Amino acid sequence: MSVDLKLVEAKQMIAPPSQSFSMWVWIRKNLFNNWYNMLLTLLAGSLLVYISYATLTWVFTEAQWAVIGDNYKLFMVGQYPILALWRIWSALTMMTFMFGISAGTFKGTMLRLCYILSTIYLVHIIAPFTENTSKIWLTAQLVMLVISYFIGSKIPYAKRFNIVGWVISIPIILFFIHGFGILPVIRTNVWNGLMLTLMLAAVAIILSFPIGVLLALGRTSKLSVIKYFCIGYIELIRGIPLITILFMAQILFPLFLPTGLTIDNLLRVMLGATFFTAAYMAENVRGGLQSIPNGQYEAAKTIGLNPVQTTAFVILPQALRAIIPTIVGQSISMFKDTSLVAIVGLVDLLGIAQSVKSNPEFLGRHMEVYVFIAFVYWVIAYSMSYSSRRIEKSLGVGER
Amino acid sequence: MRESKVSTPFWRDNRILPVLFQIGFAILVVLFFGYLISNAINGLNRLGINFGFQFLRRTASFNIAESLIDYQPTDTYARAMIVGVLNTLRIAVIGIILTTVLGVSVGIARLSNNWLVRKLSGLYIEVFRNTPLLVQIFIWYFAVILPLPQVQDSYSMGDFYFNNRGIAIPWFTANSHTFIWVIISIIGLVSAVIVWKYQLNKQLKLGTKRFPTLWAITTLIISFILAWLVTQSGPVHISRPELGNFNFSGGLRLSAEFLAILAGLVIYTATYIAEIVRAGIQSVNKGQTEAAQAIGLKSSTMMRLVILPQAVRIIIPPITSQYLNLTKNSSLAIAVGYQELVGVGNTSLNQSGHAIEIILIMIVVYLTLSLITSLFMNIFNKKTQLVER
């Protein structure tokens, strides 16, 4: 009998009284619950209305967007020869293919990124200023994305295939863009626009990662010479602005090379950006290393691993997993910082904007040009931070 | 167990190996840098430039538009560099103050129980955090400030004037009585604090209301009245901007370049500070809030005495690095032509050809600034941490 009573009680506890929920109650609770919130709501509301009204009227009536449509090719790839554009399209197809494969294998965040990518492609297909050849290529990208998605979800050894695929795709993309003598070489001074921005960011992030890991290991090492070398390097680089490093890469670096040896302008800037990011990457990795409890080292020692094995197979995999969101954050800030190369004379997305707005045909169209490139940067940076938040959630890093 | 007579060969000895490895590493590093430096010395010799800092005494012969100290093109490179450092400091100090105010307000607004305020501050953060700072600075400079009208037909709001050379606003100028005013106000402030503490102590001991804040404010007001009686005048004059033939005179005039870089830095860095403040406040254990509510604290008292002291400990280290970022990012001013350290350095470098020396100076100055900032923040950090235990 008593058992029954408990059951009844439990049932009552499971089903709480249904709350009457209405729009009005929500508004009262969230916007007008006391006098100063009422004031705040009115202030914030009028600010919001004013901003959206001003923005919308500007975007749809005052702004002359012809400057964007007419120069679209410049913004994307700069002065890259039109006859060789198929090479960039091929490189892009390679990238789309790998995105699709990864989406098919990992689903989740990669799949979301592919949605964003296909939305971007779709918008460009619909856009009135896109040329017909570009539309065909863009449609091919979409088809490629779908095909590779299905390949990615079916292939055996998918993870290994992904890693190998991404590693191989980098030289292939570079081959298409540069030519390496097999295709006619296209000099780096016409690698402009968004393409250059993305390339700089990718190179700096990918190359800085191994250097950063080495520096972090060096900084936590017990060998004092190496430790202080790494500390010195990291703190020196972190103490000075990126623009100084870029000036060093442009002006000082040639001085330090033996006579007769010259290094390409773009390559020097890439090296500068890489060594700059490496110092920050090292600090991130060090954070990950410090989060590993001492027991892990002791356990590895007990089963007879030597220090190198301990680091490679026990410590680093855990440390790196814990700092994936931080690394993405670092990548976002590197991506935004690539805009600084416009100051030292490279023509990235911002550099192209500078030259487009000084074209007498589009005099005074500053706002349109800058708002457009700001939007492009924003879409990419926001997608990255969005995926970082998703990864953070799925790793459960925040909760631990 | 038999004592082994065979000694470990040195290439497997755990005591010798690390030492050898480190010596090898040190030799490699020294050789590498030696090689680079010898290349540089050879290269410079061929160009006919001698390494050294003597060039700093030569005449700079370029103009700097804004300077906190007196500067003419006939002054030396050294003085030009000092002007640059001062301009960097000016932007950094003003920027840090403004960005803290904006960032903390937005960070608290992110946690407001008002839905609209929460979403609006979130929108601000997402928009300005995910676009490059340099693009924002260019937008402020080329797309907002430069299209403003000429000086002659400035927009005006009362005594505030906006034109494509910047803004001119009314400002205070010291008069002959300012010194006396400052002294009396400081005395008033100190005695106000003493009175406040005394009354607060009494209130705690006797358990009756003694209105310590009211007492303190009254003391302060009395000191102001006293100052006014002594000097028979206000503390400062207010100077209004007047339109002359070419530009405004009087008041406070801020150049377009300075405004652009300041607006960019403040608005960009504040998004980071807002997120840090939000995370810091959220990281305070919920039990603390509940305990504070349980002993009957008002929400403002709870914030001031329970939440903030604990949040500050978490907030300070990341906020320090944001201050450093702001100081370093002020070097982007070169893009709009505000002459701070990197701008002056770049001009001097192009004129004199002493690239290595000038970049060394820049590095030393930035490292010193970083060091000073971290020092101050570490002292502050120690203070706040003592509060807890």
Side-chain angles (χ1 to χ4, degrees), chain A residues 299-353:
Chain A
K301 209 168 193 178
T302 328
I303 58 169
L305 299 184
N306 68 25
V308 176
Q309 289 168 330
T310 311
T311 313
F313 300 121
V314 180
I315 307 303
L316 270 186
Q318 298 183 63
L320 295 185
R321 182 174 172 274
I323 57 162
I324 288 174
T326 337
I327 290 178
V328 179
Q330 187 60 48
S331 309
I332 296 172
S333 85
M334 188 61 233
F335 169 71
K336 286 185 294 177
D337 280 347
T338 54
S339 57
L340 266 62
V341 300
I343 299 180
V344 294
L346 291 189
V347 192
D348 70 330
L349 186 56
L350 183 58
I352 281 285

Coordinates of all heavy atoms in Angstrom, one line a residue, chain A residues 299-353:
Chain A
A299 N 52.8 7.6 -14.7 CA 52.3 6.3 -15.2 C 53.1 5.9 -16.4 O 53.5 4.7 -16.6 CB 50.9 6.5 -15.6
A300 N 53.5 6.9 -17.3 CA 54.2 6.6 -18.5 C 55.6 6.1 -18.1 O 56.1 5.1 -18.7 CB 54.4 7.8 -19.3
K301 N 56.2 6.6 -17.0 CA 57.5 6.2 -16.6 C 57.4 4.8 -16.1 O 58.3 4.0 -16.3 CB 58.0 7.2 -15.5 CG 59.5 7.3 -15.4 CD 59.9 8.4 -14.5 CE 61.4 8.8 -14.7 NZ 61.8 9.9 -13.9
T302 N 56.4 4.5 -15.3 CA 56.2 3.2 -14.7 C 56.2 2.1 -15.8 O 56.7 1.0 -15.6 CB 54.9 3.1 -13.9 OG1 54.6 4.4 -13.4 CG2 55.0 2.1 -12.9
I303 N 55.5 2.3 -16.9 CA 55.4 1.3 -17.9 C 56.6 1.3 -18.8 O 56.7 0.7 -19.9 CB 54.1 1.3 -18.7 CG1 54.0 2.7 -19.4 CG2 52.9 1.0 -17.9 CD1 52.9 2.7 -20.4
G304 N 57.7 2.1 -18.4 CA 58.9 2.1 -19.1 C 59.1 2.9 -20.4 O 59.9 2.5 -21.2
L305 N 58.3 3.9 -20.5 CA 58.5 4.7 -21.7 C 59.6 5.7 -21.5 O 59.8 6.2 -20.3 CB 57.2 5.5 -22.1 CG 56.0 4.7 -22.4 CD1 54.8 5.6 -22.8 CD2 56.3 3.7 -23.5
N306 N 60.4 6.0 -22.5 CA 61.4 7.0 -22.3 C 60.8 8.4 -22.5 O 59.6 8.5 -23.0 CB 62.6 6.8 -23.2 CG 62.3 7.0 -24.7 OD1 61.4 7.7 -25.0 ND2 63.1 6.3 -25.5
P307 N 61.5 9.5 -22.2 CA 60.9 10.8 -22.2 C 60.3 11.2 -23.6 O 59.2 11.8 -23.7 CB 62.0 11.8 -21.9 CG 63.0 11.0 -21.1 CD 62.8 9.6 -21.6
V308 N 61.0 10.8 -24.7 CA 60.5 11.1 -26.0 C 59.2 10.4 -26.2 O 58.2 11.0 -26.7 CB 61.5 10.7 -27.1 CG1 61.0 11.0 -28.5 CG2 62.8 11.5 -26.9
Q309 N 59.1 9.1 -25.9 CA 57.9 8.3 -26.1 C 56.8 8.9 -25.2 O 55.6 9.0 -25.6 CB 58.1 6.9 -25.7 CG 59.0 6.2 -26.7 CD 59.4 4.8 -26.2 OE1 59.6 4.6 -25.0 NE2 59.6 3.9 -27.1
T310 N 57.1 9.3 -24.0 CA 56.1 9.8 -23.1 C 55.5 11.1 -23.7 O 54.2 11.2 -23.8 CB 56.7 10.2 -21.7 OG1 57.5 9.2 -21.3 CG2 55.7 10.6 -20.7
T311 N 56.3 11.9 -24.2 CA 55.8 13.2 -24.8 C 55.0 12.9 -26.0 O 53.9 13.4 -26.2 CB 57.0 14.1 -25.2 OG1 57.9 14.2 -24.1 CG2 56.5 15.5 -25.5
A312 N 55.5 12.0 -26.9 CA 54.8 11.8 -28.2 C 53.5 11.0 -28.0 O 52.6 11.3 -28.7 CB 55.8 11.1 -29.1
F313 N 53.5 10.0 -27.2 CA 52.3 9.1 -27.2 C 51.4 9.4 -26.0 O 50.2 8.9 -26.0 CB 52.8 7.7 -27.2 CG 53.6 7.3 -28.4 CD1 54.9 6.9 -28.2 CD2 53.1 7.5 -29.7 CE1 55.7 6.6 -29.3 CE2 53.9 7.2 -30.8 CZ 55.1 6.8 -30.6
V314 N 51.9 10.0 -24.9 CA 51.0 10.2 -23.8 C 50.6 11.6 -23.6 O 49.4 12.0 -23.5 CB 51.7 9.6 -22.5 CG1 50.8 9.8 -21.3 CG2 52.0 8.2 -22.7
I315 N 51.6 12.5 -23.5 CA 51.3 13.9 -23.1 C 50.7 14.7 -24.2 O 49.6 15.3 -24.1 CB 52.6 14.6 -22.6 CG1 53.3 13.7 -21.5 CG2 52.3 16.0 -22.1 CD1 52.4 13.5 -20.3
L316 N 51.5 14.8 -25.4 CA 51.0 15.6 -26.5 C 49.6 15.3 -27.0 O 48.8 16.3 -27.1 CB 52.0 15.6 -27.6 CG 53.1 16.6 -27.6 CD1 53.9 16.6 -28.9 CD2 52.6 18.0 -27.4
P317 N 49.2 14.0 -27.2 CA 47.8 13.8 -27.7 C 46.8 14.4 -26.7 O 45.8 15.0 -27.2 CB 47.7 12.3 -27.7 CG 49.1 11.8 -27.9 CD 50.0 12.8 -27.1
Q318 N 47.0 14.3 -25.4 CA 46.0 14.8 -24.5 C 46.1 16.4 -24.5 O 45.1 17.0 -24.4 CB 46.3 14.3 -23.1 CG 46.2 12.8 -22.9 CD 46.4 12.4 -21.5 OE1 45.6 12.8 -20.6 NE2 47.5 11.7 -21.2
A319 N 47.3 16.9 -24.5 CA 47.5 18.3 -24.4 C 46.9 19.0 -25.6 O 46.2 20.0 -25.5 CB 49.0 18.7 -24.2
L320 N 47.1 18.5 -26.8 CA 46.7 19.1 -28.0 C 45.1 19.0 -28.1 O 44.5 20.0 -28.5 CB 47.3 18.5 -29.2 CG 48.8 18.7 -29.3 CD1 49.4 18.1 -30.6 CD2 49.2 20.2 -29.2
R321 N 44.6 17.9 -27.6 CA 43.1 17.8 -27.6 C 42.5 18.9 -26.8 O 41.5 19.5 -27.2 CB 42.8 16.4 -27.1 CG 41.3 16.1 -27.1 CD 41.1 14.7 -26.7 NE 39.7 14.4 -26.6 CZ 39.0 14.6 -25.5 NH1 39.6 15.1 -24.4 NH2 37.7 14.3 -25.4
A322 N 43.1 19.2 -25.7 CA 42.5 20.1 -24.7 C 42.6 21.6 -25.3 O 41.8 22.4 -24.9 CB 43.3 20.1 -23.4
I323 N 43.5 21.8 -26.2 CA 43.7 23.2 -26.6 C 43.2 23.5 -28.1 O 43.5 24.5 -28.6 CB 45.2 23.7 -26.5 CG1 46.0 22.8 -27.4 CG2 45.6 23.8 -25.1 CD1 47.4 23.4 -27.7
I324 N 42.4 22.5 -28.6 CA 41.9 22.8 -30.0 C 41.1 24.1 -30.1 O 41.4 24.9 -31.0 CB 41.0 21.6 -30.4 CG1 41.9 20.4 -30.7 CG2 40.2 21.9 -31.7 CD1 41.2 19.1 -31.1
P325 N 40.2 24.4 -29.1 CA 39.5 25.7 -29.2 C 40.5 26.9 -29.2 O 40.3 27.9 -29.9 CB 38.6 25.7 -28.0 CG 38.4 24.3 -27.7 CD 39.7 23.6 -28.0
T326 N 41.5 26.8 -28.3 CA 42.5 27.9 -28.2 C 43.2 28.1 -29.5 O 43.5 29.2 -30.0 CB 43.5 27.6 -27.1 OG1 43.0 26.8 -26.2 CG2 43.9 28.9 -26.5
I327 N 43.5 26.9 -30.2 CA 44.3 27.0 -31.4 C 43.4 27.7 -32.5 O 43.9 28.5 -33.3 CB 44.7 25.6 -31.9 CG1 45.9 25.2 -30.9 CG2 45.3 25.6 -33.3 CD1 46.4 23.8 -31.2
V328 N 42.1 27.3 -32.5 CA 41.2 27.9 -33.5 C 41.1 29.4 -33.2 O 41.2 30.2 -34.2 CB 39.8 27.3 -33.4 CG1 38.9 28.0 -34.4 CG2 39.9 25.8 -33.7
G329 N 41.1 29.8 -31.9 CA 41.1 31.2 -31.6 C 42.3 31.9 -32.1 O 42.2 33.0 -32.7
Q330 N 43.5 31.3 -31.9 CA 44.7 31.8 -32.4 C 44.7 32.0 -34.0 O 45.1 32.9 -34.5 CB 45.9 30.9 -32.0 CG 47.2 31.4 -32.3 CD 47.5 32.7 -31.6 OE1 47.2 32.9 -30.4 NE2 47.9 33.7 -32.3
S331 N 44.1 30.9 -34.6 CA 44.0 31.0 -36.1 C 43.1 32.2 -36.5 O 43.4 32.8 -37.5 CB 43.4 29.7 -36.6 OG 44.1 28.6 -36.1
I332 N 42.0 32.4 -35.8 CA 41.2 33.5 -36.1 C 42.0 34.8 -36.1 O 41.9 35.7 -37.0 CB 39.9 33.6 -35.2 CG1 39.1 32.4 -35.4 CG2 39.1 34.8 -35.5 CD1 37.9 32.3 -34.4
S333 N 42.7 35.0 -35.0 CA 43.4 36.3 -34.8 C 44.5 36.4 -35.9 O 44.8 37.4 -36.4 CB 43.9 36.5 -33.4 OG 45.1 35.9 -33.2
M334 N 45.1 35.2 -36.2 CA 46.1 35.3 -37.3 C 45.5 35.7 -38.6 O 46.0 36.5 -39.4 CB 46.8 33.9 -37.5 CG 48.0 33.9 -38.4 SD 49.3 35.1 -37.9 CE 49.5 36.1 -39.3
F335 N 44.3 35.1 -38.9 CA 43.6 35.4 -40.1 C 43.3 36.9 -40.2 O 43.4 37.5 -41.2 CB 42.3 34.6 -40.2 CG 41.3 35.0 -41.2 CD1 41.6 34.8 -42.6 CD2 40.2 35.7 -40.9 CE1 40.8 35.2 -43.5 CE2 39.3 36.1 -41.9 CZ 39.6 35.8 -43.2
K336 N 42.8 37.5 -39.1 CA 42.5 38.9 -39.1 C 43.8 39.7 -39.2 O 43.8 40.7 -39.9 CB 41.8 39.3 -37.8 CG 40.4 38.9 -37.7 CD 39.7 39.4 -36.5 CE 40.3 38.8 -35.3 NZ 39.7 39.3 -34.0
D337 N 44.9 39.2 -38.6 CA 46.2 40.0 -38.7 C 46.8 39.9 -40.1 O 47.7 40.7 -40.3 CB 47.2 39.4 -37.7 CG 46.9 39.9 -36.3 OD1 46.1 40.9 -36.2 OD2 47.4 39.4 -35.3
T338 N 46.4 39.0 -40.9 CA 47.0 39.0 -42.3 C 46.8 40.3 -43.0 O 47.5 40.7 -43.9 CB 46.4 37.9 -43.2 OG1 45.0 38.0 -43.2 CG2 46.9 36.5 -42.7
S339 N 45.7 41.1 -42.5 CA 45.4 42.4 -43.2 C 46.6 43.3 -43.0 O 46.7 44.3 -43.8 CB 44.2 43.0 -42.6 OG 44.3 43.1 -41.2
L340 N 47.5 43.1 -42.0 CA 48.6 44.0 -41.8 C 49.6 44.0 -43.0 O 50.4 44.9 -43.1 CB 49.4 43.6 -40.5 CG 49.0 44.4 -39.3 CD1 47.5 44.2 -39.0 CD2 49.8 44.0 -38.1
V341 N 49.6 42.9 -43.8 CA 50.6 42.8 -44.9 C 50.3 43.9 -45.9 O 51.2 44.3 -46.7 CB 50.6 41.5 -45.6 CG1 51.0 40.4 -44.6 CG2 49.3 41.2 -46.3
A342 N 49.1 44.5 -45.9 CA 48.8 45.6 -46.8 C 49.7 46.8 -46.5 O 50.0 47.6 -47.4 CB 47.3 46.0 -46.7
I343 N 50.1 46.9 -45.2 CA 51.0 48.1 -44.8 C 52.4 47.9 -45.4 O 53.0 48.9 -45.8 CB 51.1 48.2 -43.3 CG1 49.7 48.5 -42.7 CG2 52.0 49.4 -42.9 CD1 49.7 48.7 -41.3
V344 N 52.9 46.7 -45.5 CA 54.2 46.5 -46.0 C 54.2 46.2 -47.5 O 55.2 45.7 -48.1 CB 55.0 45.3 -45.3 CG1 55.2 45.7 -43.9 CG2 54.2 44.0 -45.4
G345 N 53.1 46.5 -48.2 CA 53.1 46.5 -49.6 C 52.6 45.3 -50.4 O 52.7 45.2 -51.6
L346 N 52.1 44.3 -49.6 CA 51.5 43.2 -50.3 C 50.1 43.5 -50.6 O 49.5 44.3 -49.9 CB 51.6 41.9 -49.5 CG 52.9 41.3 -49.3 CD1 52.8 39.9 -48.6 CD2 53.7 41.1 -50.6
V347 N 49.5 43.0 -51.7 CA 48.1 43.4 -52.0 C 47.2 42.2 -51.7 O 46.8 41.5 -52.5 CB 48.1 43.7 -53.5 CG1 46.8 44.3 -53.9 CG2 49.2 44.6 -53.9
D348 N 46.8 42.2 -50.4 CA 45.9 41.2 -50.0 C 44.5 41.8 -50.1 O 44.3 42.8 -50.8 CB 46.1 40.7 -48.5 CG 45.8 41.8 -47.6 OD1 46.0 43.0 -48.0 OD2 45.4 41.6 -46.4
L349 N 43.5 41.2 -49.5 CA 42.1 41.7 -49.6 C 42.0 43.2 -49.3 O 41.4 44.0 -50.0 CB 41.2 40.9 -48.7 CG 39.7 41.2 -48.9 CD1 39.2 41.0 -50.3 CD2 38.9 40.3 -47.9
L350 N 42.7 43.6 -48.2 CA 42.7 45.0 -47.8 C 43.5 45.8 -48.8 O 43.1 46.9 -49.1 CB 43.3 45.1 -46.4 CG 43.3 46.5 -45.8 CD1 41.9 47.1 -45.7 CD2 43.9 46.5 -44.4
G351 N 44.6 45.3 -49.2 CA 45.4 46.0 -50.2 C 44.6 46.3 -51.5 O 44.7 47.4 -52.1
I352 N 43.9 45.3 -51.9 CA 43.0 45.5 -53.1 C 42.0 46.5 -52.9 O 41.7 47.4 -53.7 CB 42.3 44.1 -53.5 CG1 43.3 43.2 -54.2 CG2 41.1 44.4 -54.4 CD1 43.6 43.6 -55.6
A353 N 41.4 46.5 -51.7 CA 40.4 47.5 -51.3 C 41.0 48.9 -51.4 O 40.4 49.8 -52.0 CB 39.9 47.3 -49.9

